[in-house]
Amino acid sequence: MIYNVSEIQKILGATLLGAAQESTAIGHVLLDSRKLIFPDTSLFFALAGPRRSGESYIPELYEKGVRLFVVKEGFTITMNEYQGASFFVVKDVLAALQSLAAHHRKQFDIPVIGITGSNGKTIVKEWLYQLLQEDFNIVRSPKSYNSQTGVALSVLQMGSEHSLGIFEAGISQADEMQHLEKMIKPTLGVFTNIGAAHSEGFMNIRQKVNEKLRLFVHSELLVYNADNPDVNTGVNAFSMNVRNSHDLELFAWCRKDGAALQITSVETIANKTTIKARDLRKTATDQELVISIPFTDEASIQNAITCWCVLLTLNIPADSIALRMQLLKPVEMRLELKQGINNCSVINDSYSADLNSLTIALDFLVQQQQHPKRTVILSDILQSGKGSRELYEEVAVILVRKGISRFIGIGVEISRQKEVFKALPELHFFASTSEFKSQFHSLHFHHETILLKGARVFEFEQISHLLEQKVHQTVLEINLNAVSHNLREYQQLLHPRVKLMAMVKAFSYGSGGYEIANLLQFHKVDYLAVAYADEGVELRRAGISLPILVLNPEEATFDVLIQYTLEPEMYSFNLIRLFETYLAASGLTNYPVHIKLDTGMHRLGFEESDIEQLSQVLSSSTRLKVQSVFSHLAASDASSLDFFTEQQSEIFLRACSVLQTSLSYPFIRHISNTSSIHRHPHLQLDMVRLGIGLYGVDNNPEMQVKLRNVSTLKTTISQLKKVRSGESVGYNRKGLTYRDSLIATVRIGYADGYPRGLSNGVGSMFINGVSVPVIGNVCMDMTMLDVTNVAVSEGDEVIVFGESLPVQKLAVAAETIPYEILTGISQRVKRVYFEE
């Protein structure tokens, strides 16, 4: 995308304030201040966020060299503060962004495929890319960029080198699709399916279908699955409505009569599905068509048939289609962060290599602060449509600006262009993956974060196996997107200027300390809280710079508190005396501390009767500076105890008033925990503490449905054993079979954190979508499951808890609370972090 200032002003219909010359080139659109790469040529759109306006990031971006900004009317601009900058003033910043994308789309007269539906959009898009890359130079949506802003960014990628566009469109409420249609303007439409996902914003399924169909108001052809009656009825009515403006050709597939592609048989054998069909279009010869795909699940079968239809409409020969379908690869839609050898962290994105996905992966790499050294291993970038020199010069600039310490290029073409990478501190090039493997040990990977980014043909999974630490097959997967989503859900509930403290104690509720803290720092929360000083030290060593409250300081840890600038809770006069003595010996003054008040929990803290004496101690101290005063609500989630919550808040506010009167400076007041944020919004005060809600658990059903599952505990079947009726399973013969049974032994036990109280049918796990009960006693390292009449094999994945079996249900069965389950997952269970 290259426009000048004059063109942008005209496209946006903006008022221009500032000194930019009309010919100044603009090559990049920026929406997130944390993802800046090219300040000189970036145009920042100051979009409104749930809590902060994009305009609040303008000073930071100006300091980093950005000079072009799109702002909303009413934004106060002091040009003396922004010398050399220019501001495009518009009525609506999002609408301006979409206008730019719509204008950009009009510059290209190439076929564009637009994809919508409840599920399968990204899979179909990526499979079409795999299937059509031999015939077209394709521009497509990165990852799942299908929102109001994601579509704009996707379309703005279009360039003169492209001969086909593939973009997906997702909506969550009525009247959204019309904006996406103006940007995508698909010539060929694909409607994958309709389902329950994102249904909250629609009155019924019919309205949802009709809204999604608005993507195709100017399309020439529409591919859809006529087996779904809601979609079929909606499409036929829609096609009649648009015929007043143009002819819309319909290409339906179904398992019954009356479709362009009639599916005659679907046969699954082993790990392959063979699909037979008849092409019944008037232009076809009514011959039987056959494809085979290396997948067996129903969703993949439907997605493959949809892709098949698209290829037929593009006149790809039947024999070519059959060959390409056999080679379809699974679509990996997430970045995985794993523990590596020699204290490394490994980010595995070794499934594709293009500029857009590289930039996304590098953003994730920069988020990680646990190691100062950052290494990128990158293969040749295939079929970019750019000249080799131009392509790798751009890659080199991005790597330099992202602060990459070491770069390893693998491939003939990237090796030829090694000169363009000379600005990077350390360089290595290999012609092939096998050559890299032969030199692996000489590269000495240690104490660094490594990003693997490679095209599939380079088989970087071989490198991944070399770098990743060999782990126990029981793993806890942490969805970082879900953590971000849950954070936003609570942030949207906060009053203006209320700060947020995130609780990362107990290894972030079992989810991992510095990995979660990295994410929270990236999202600019205000404070972190840990239970003990050693947790805070680990975060500091991992590069976390946010202020950190230590809830349980001990005299023996005063030295590390000071060394790592950790802020202790003060809950007793004795603790204050000891800490002041230490500070005096160290010659320190005004050290930040947090005062804990006991308003009814009766655990730690100063009682109301202590407040007068406490105010005298604090006002006379030169060693301590009160950063905050806080208390803990005992029953904020229980409506039957709301009277007690109000009683606690009244005590707290009275005490704060006394302390504020005696101190010559302001402090932060906080008493709200996760449940209180939404149940008692008047108690948000100056800051709230978000705990288990961040990890996807809230006792309020209305809030729970808004949260996403964060943690999935998985294991595998180590052995299957046939046990005759009347025999026993496990210790003390507690598991008795009443029929001939098939028993699966799985690799998890109470030493991993699976409660022994779930023995003998109390607990269950999920295998291949089926709930199976625990039989016999849970052992230290193993648990047995009754999988009789379930299709299973040794090595199959087993879900202990996750989306299909929420941790709350597991906790109820174990007669405990989700906190205990999550924090009890053993450290020998490796954590795998991923971002979709």
Side-chain angles (χ1 to χ4, degrees):
M1 187 199 82
I2 298 293
Y3 292 97
N4 62 39
V5 165
S6 177
E7 291 169 329
I8 292 290
Q9 181 184 8
K10 183 178 179 181
I11 294 166
L12 303 188
T15 301
L16 181 61
L17 303 177
Q21 296 182 359
E22 290 188 356
S23 60
T24 300
I26 299 169
H28 302 89
V29 162
L30 180 67
L31 308 185
D32 188 332
S33 63
R34 298 162 299 191
K35 298 180 179 181
L36 176 65
I37 301 176
F38 301 102
D40 297 342
T41 57
S42 288
L43 174 63
F44 177 65
F45 283 77
L47 295 168
R51 293 195 64 219
R52 295 188 179 99
S53 168
E55 292 156 356
S56 64
Y57 298 103
I58 289 176
E60 172 192 337
L61 287 168
Y62 180 80
E63 288 297 317
K64 293 179 178 178
V66 178
R67 293 294 181 266
L68 299 170
F69 305 92
V70 180
V71 297
K72 187 178 180 180
E73 290 177 355
F75 174 60
T76 302
I77 303 168
T78 306
M79 296 307 298
N80 288 338
E81 296 179 13
Y82 300 107
Q83 294 186 11
S86 293
F87 294 84
F88 298 88
V89 182
V90 298
K91 291 182 179 179
D92 185 316
V93 177
L94 176 59
L97 171 67
Q98 294 176 336
S99 295
L100 177 58
H103 172 87
H104 190 68
R105 167 67 182 90
K106 290 177 183 177
Q107 311 312 303
F108 302 94
D109 185 20
I110 62 173
V112 169
I113 301 173
I115 306 170
T116 194
S118 295
N119 304 104
K121 296 184 291 293
T122 302
I123 299 292
V124 168
K125 177 200 69 189
E126 293 299 322
W127 277 0
L128 285 175
Y129 174 75
Q130 291 181 32
L131 293 164
L132 293 170
Q133 59 183 333
E134 293 182 21
D135 308 288
F136 299 93
N137 192 332
I138 301 171
V139 56
R140 71 194 194 280
S141 308
K143 302 290 183 180
S144 298
Y145 276 36
N146 56 36
S147 66
Q148 297 292 312
T149 54
V151 167
L153 293 175
S154 299
V155 170
L156 287 168
Q157 299 175 102
M158 294 180 75
S160 58
E161 68 274 17
H162 298 121
S163 56
L164 175 68
I166 310 177
F167 303 113
E168 54 179 290
I171 56 172
S172 56
Q173 59 188 30
D175 299 323
E176 286 187 334
M177 189 61 86
Q178 58 183 329
H179 305 297
L180 304 186
E181 191 278 334
K182 290 176 182 177
M183 293 184 281
I184 298 174
K185 277 284 188 292
T187 56
L188 192 160
V190 174
F191 198 129
T192 57
N193 60 27
I194 199 70
H198 309 296
S199 293
E200 302 84 6
F202 303 96
M203 293 184 295
N204 51 46
I205 198 74
R206 183 59 54 83
Q207 185 195 26
K208 187 176 179 182
V209 169
N210 291 340
E211 178 67 19
K212 288 182 178 291
L213 284 168
R214 294 176 74 177
L215 178 61
F216 312 119
V217 292
H218 296 104
S219 298
E220 300 165 7
L221 189 146
L222 175 59
V223 171
Y224 68 100
N225 176 3
D227 281 335
N228 186 301
D230 291 310
V231 173
N232 194 40
T233 301
V235 167
N236 285 306
F238 174 77
S239 67
M240 294 295 293
N241 291 334
V242 300
R243 276 184 183 158
N244 294 327
S245 59
H246 73 289
D247 288 333
L248 173 65
E249 182 183 348
L250 300 181
F251 191 116
W253 68 265
C254 73
R255 292 176 167 87
K256 298 173 288 188
D257 295 335
L261 189 72
Q262 181 183 346
I263 308 303
T264 56
S265 75
V266 177
E267 183 179 4
T268 297
I269 300 176
N271 296 317
K272 182 176 78 170
T273 300
T274 298
I275 308 166
K276 296 181 180 180
R278 304 198 76 83
D279 186 349
L280 301 179
R281 291 176 296 169
K282 292 179 181 179
T283 57
T285 58
D286 191 24
Q287 67 187 62
E288 184 177 65
L289 304 175
V290 182
I291 62 168
S292 293
I293 60 172
F295 304 94
T296 58
D297 61 288
E298 179 60 25
S300 293
I301 292 169
Q302 291 189 23
N303 290 334
I305 295 172
T306 297
C307 292
W308 190 6
C309 293
V310 172
L311 268 64
L312 287 171
T313 67
L314 294 174
N315 298 316
I316 305 298
D319 54 349
S320 293
I321 295 175
L323 178 61
R324 296 177 194 182
M325 284 288 183
Q326 294 178 37
L327 303 176
L328 279 178
K329 302 290 185 184
V331 177
E332 298 291 343
M333 293 188 291
R334 65 190 205 179
L335 293 162
E336 288 188 339
L337 174 65
K338 298 182 178 181
Q339 290 178 307
I341 60 172
N342 305 325
N343 196 35
C344 291
S345 298
V346 179
I347 299 170
N348 190 355
D349 193 25
S350 57
Y351 310 104
S352 64
D354 58 74
L355 271 178
N356 291 299
S357 64
L358 173 63
T359 303
I360 293 168
L362 286 170
D363 287 335
F364 187 62
L365 171 63
V366 171
Q367 231 175 277
Q368 311 310 315
Q369 300 292 321
Q370 56 267 39
H371 305 294
K373 185 175 182 180
R374 293 171 180 151
T375 295
V376 172
I377 304 177
L378 177 68
S379 77
D380 282 349
I381 296 176
L382 307 176
Q383 297 173 313
S384 72
K386 297 187 175 185
S388 185
R389 183 83 177 182
E390 176 192 3
L391 171 65
Y392 292 112
E393 281 178 346
E394 187 171 350
V395 170
V397 169
I398 294 171
L399 294 174
V400 169
R401 293 187 175 177
K402 289 295 184 181
I404 301 307
S405 315
R406 173 159 67 160
F407 177 69
I408 300 171
I410 299 179
V412 173
E413 197 54 44
I414 201 169
S415 299
R416 284 196 186 118
Q417 303 297 333
K418 65 176 66 175
E419 278 298 310
V420 305
F421 296 97
K422 62 186 179 183
L424 291 161
E426 183 181 343
L427 297 172
H428 303 273
F429 291 91
F430 303 93
S432 65
T433 301
S434 59
E435 184 182 338
F436 167 86
K437 288 171 61 181
S438 69
Q439 300 295 318
F440 176 76
H441 294 291
S442 67
L443 293 169
H444 304 296
F445 292 98
H446 60 90
H447 300 286
E448 57 196 290
T449 305
I450 306 162
L451 170 63
L452 285 179
K453 194 83 180 85
R456 285 185 181 275
V457 295
F458 285 86
E459 298 180 334
F460 269 21
E461 58 269 23
Q462 299 178 43
I463 300 176
S464 174
H465 293 154
L466 292 173
L467 288 170
E468 290 173 12
Q469 193 176 78
K470 303 303 181 285
V471 298
H472 178 26
Q473 289 190 42
T474 299
V475 298
L476 183 67
E477 290 189 346
I478 312 297
N479 185 339
L480 297 178
N481 294 92
V483 177
S484 301
H485 168 86
N486 297 341
L487 174 63
R488 288 192 295 270
E489 287 295 325
Y490 287 99
Q491 284 178 324
Q492 291 173 12
L493 301 175
L494 300 184
H495 301 317
R497 293 180 292 282
V498 173
K499 298 179 184 293
L500 188 142
M501 174 183 285
M503 311 303 287
V504 292
K505 59 182 182 176
F507 202 50
S508 291
Y509 291 67
S511 297
Y514 63 75
E515 295 88 352
I516 298 297
N518 264 331
L519 183 69
L520 296 171
Q521 180 166 272
F522 181 74
H523 286 295
K524 300 188 176 182
V525 302
D526 301 286
Y527 252 94
L528 299 177
V530 297
Y532 295 100
D534 56 351
E535 294 176 307
V537 170
E538 180 186 4
L539 297 184
R540 286 284 185 252
R541 287 175 173 169
I544 302 301
S545 57
L546 287 173
I548 299 174
L549 164 61
V550 177
L551 296 167
N552 296 285
E554 301 165 283
E555 184 179 3
T557 63
F558 286 169
D559 56 341
V560 294
L561 288 174
I562 306 303
Q563 181 183 351
Y564 291 96
T565 60
L566 306 174
E567 303 176 12
E569 169 187 315
M570 295 285 112
Y571 53 80
S572 70
F573 289 113
N574 183 52
L575 185 59
I576 286 180
R577 179 183 59 80
L578 290 171
F579 195 52
E580 279 200 302
T581 301
Y582 184 87
L583 292 173
S586 303
L588 297 174
T589 59
N590 290 317
Y591 197 87
V593 297
H594 300 257
I595 304 302
K596 175 69 175 291
L597 305 183
D598 181 0
T599 58
M601 185 75 133
H602 297 320
R603 197 168 57 180
L604 294 176
F606 295 95
E607 304 275 352
E608 188 174 18
S609 58
D610 298 325
I611 299 304
E612 289 295 339
Q613 181 185 351
L614 178 61
S615 64
Q616 293 174 14
V617 170
L618 295 175
S619 61
S620 63
S621 175
T622 60
R623 303 292 173 188
L624 306 178
K625 183 178 187 297
V626 178
Q627 200 72 11
S628 81
V629 176
F630 71 105
S631 188
H632 200 99
L633 295 174
S636 64
D637 59 342
S639 58
S640 62
L641 294 173
D642 281 350
F643 74 94
F644 189 74
T645 296
E646 290 303 316
Q647 181 179 311
Q648 282 192 271
S649 69
E650 290 169 6
I651 294 171
F652 178 70
L653 292 172
R654 284 198 301 268
C656 285
S657 179
V658 173
L659 291 173
Q660 188 62 82
T661 301
S662 65
L663 293 173
S664 60
Y665 53 85
F667 53 76
I668 298 168
R669 301 165 303 158
H670 52 111
I671 193 171
S672 280
N673 54 13
T674 293
S675 293
S676 178
I677 290 172
H678 54 86
R679 292 205 67 249
H680 307 284
H682 63 292
L683 297 181
Q684 291 179 7
L685 304 179
D686 304 315
M687 184 161 69
V688 299
R689 300 189 302 274
L690 178 58
I692 199 164
L694 191 62
Y695 308 99
V697 178
D698 195 296
N699 288 333
N700 185 298
E702 292 182 6
M703 193 66 200
Q704 182 63 57
V705 298
K706 298 178 182 179
L707 304 180
R708 290 180 57 186
N709 178 69
V710 169
S711 304
T712 302
L713 183 58
K714 295 180 175 181
T715 188
T716 56
I717 296 175
S718 53
Q719 187 178 24
L720 291 170
K721 192 177 291 288
K722 293 179 180 178
V723 178
R724 292 193 301 272
S725 177
E727 293 192 356
S728 62
V729 177
Y731 286 117
N732 303 119
R733 303 199 69 202
K734 292 292 185 180
L736 295 175
T737 57
Y738 61 90
R739 60 182 176 178
D740 289 346
S741 301
L742 183 64
I743 305 301
T745 299
V746 299
R747 297 176 169 96
I748 190 170
Y750 56 76
D752 301 296
Y754 192 69
R756 196 168 184 273
L758 296 175
S759 302
N760 304 308
V762 176
S764 61
M765 301 183 195
F766 264 74
I767 305 178
N768 297 330
V770 179
S771 177
V772 294
V774 173
I775 183 170
N777 282 329
V778 174
C779 307
M780 180 182 290
D781 310 300
M782 291 170 281
T783 300
M784 286 71 72
L785 305 173
D786 187 343
V787 295
T788 308
N789 299 326
V790 179
V792 295
S793 302
E794 291 180 358
D796 278 0
E797 183 178 84
V798 180
I799 304 297
V800 183
F801 64 74
E803 195 77 46
S804 53
L805 179 59
V807 69
Q808 295 95 317
K809 290 187 177 180
L810 193 72
V812 169
E815 298 183 346
T816 184
I817 56 177
Y819 298 75
E820 185 175 350
I821 299 292
L822 291 172
T823 59
I825 303 302
S826 166
Q827 291 301 298
R828 80 177 186 181
V829 174
K830 301 304 178 184
R831 274 66 173 171
V832 174
Y833 303 87
F834 67 90
E835 189 170 271
E836 296 170 339

